[in-house]
Amino acid sequence: RASGLFTASLLSGSYSMGADGRGTMTLLATNTKGAELQTTYLLVMDSNRNVRFIENDTTGTHGSGVMKPVVGASLSPSNFSGNYAFQLTGQDYLGKPMVMTGVIRADGASVLSPGTVDVNEGGTYSAALALSGNFQVSSTNEKGIIYFTYNLPNQAQIQQTYTFYFVSPNDIYLMDADTVNVNPPRLGGELILQNPGQSFNDTSLNGSSVVTMSGLDTNASVIAGLLGGNSTNGTVNVTYDQNDSGTVTTG
């Protein structure tokens, strides 16, 4: 699996966007050995110019994600500081679905202070595990490296390497970049800087939000759509498009 990692691959493509904020996109990725992968997607744009997308082809690969405009300060150690909540999703080395979610504190220099992480690996759930690590920032481009260290119950210590990019100091994208570990999980996700003055309660989901989800049962399945929350009666409604193993349904 480690042999599938390619850095500095070239990405090009085209897109079209309708007046209602929905559109399509085609991407062409060329790795350092010249191999190409072309994929097509359905898009939806929110009011902050974030673009959510789900794959819309039958090639056997089915993914989803989000693109955000890069804003704010440039990447530097001092701009990577504070408490960050995160979620990382993907598969373990056996191909089982795996997700990690938790919180970690960056010190603005190189250290990730001890935090906590919950892990679900193929249906085995482990809560409030200790998490620590450190990070490095490149001086030549807007990216860096994060090292996470944690222990799953009754297993040897795990250290994972992630490459990351700044959207802003408040929002960081990262993906697993292990080439040393024999059986590393392949995960990717997002770190979000927390506001200590903001509480999370029933009213936080009021109004309309853009939502995307991905999962795996017997087939890969991804959705993207709109979520409306109502704290008065504690309900949500979701209208979405779905790609279930190549079968696309809308509305």
Side-chain angles (χ1 to χ4, degrees), residues 22-221:
R22 296 184 300 160
T24 60
M25 176 176 66
T26 298
L27 295 179
L28 178 64
T30 306
N31 68 22
T32 52
K33 293 187 176 181
E36 295 182 344
L37 174 65
Q38 181 171 294
T39 48
T40 60
Y41 300 89
L42 297 174
L43 311 176
V44 59
M45 179 180 288
D46 64 25
S47 58
N48 293 321
R49 296 194 297 131
N50 301 319
V51 177
R52 313 277 177 173
F53 56 91
I54 59 173
E55 196 164 347
N56 183 34
D57 55 42
T58 57
T59 61
T61 59
H62 309 293
S64 65
V66 58
M67 294 186 296
K68 297 183 179 182
V70 176
V71 296
S74 61
L75 176 58
S76 69
S78 62
N79 286 327
F80 190 9
S81 178
N83 289 326
Y84 287 82
F86 67 89
Q87 184 182 64
L88 307 174
T89 61
Q91 297 180 346
D92 67 9
Y93 72 98
L94 295 176
K96 296 185 296 184
M98 183 172 176
V99 58
M100 298 172 53
T101 185
V103 64
I104 196 78
R105 180 173 180 81
D107 71 347
S110 65
V111 176
L112 298 173
S113 301
T116 58
V117 61
D118 295 349
V119 180
N120 189 322
E121 185 179 12
T124 300
Y125 175 63
S126 303
L129 304 177
L131 178 70
S132 61
N134 52 72
F135 67 93
Q136 301 172 359
V137 172
S138 172
S139 60
T140 58
N141 51 37
E142 295 291 305
K143 66 182 297 185
I145 296 291
I146 287 175
Y147 302 96
F148 278 156
T149 302
Y150 60 97
N151 282 84
L152 292 176
N154 304 315
Q155 294 188 29
Q157 186 180 78
I158 299 172
Q159 184 178 67
Q160 288 182 267
T161 303
Y162 289 86
T163 182
F164 70 89
Y165 286 85
F166 256 33
V167 177
S168 73
N170 301 333
D171 193 352
I172 298 171
Y173 281 170
L174 68 165
M175 74 165 200
D176 181 83
D178 276 299
T179 58
V180 178
N181 290 336
V182 176
N183 295 315
R186 292 293 185 232
L187 306 175
E190 201 167 3
L191 289 159
I192 302 294
L193 183 66
Q194 301 302 286
N195 179 356
Q198 179 69 44
S199 61
F200 181 65
N201 54 41
D202 289 350
T203 64
S204 300
L205 292 179
N206 277 346
S208 184
S209 304
V210 176
V211 61
T212 181
M213 304 180 201
S214 62
L216 182 70
D217 43 29
T218 55
N219 300 314
S221 180

Side-chain angles (χ1 to χ4, degrees), residues 234-248:
T235 62
V236 295
N237 293 299
V238 183
T239 303
Y240 60 90
D241 297 339
Q242 181 177 25
N243 186 332
D244 187 358
S245 192
T247 301
V248 178

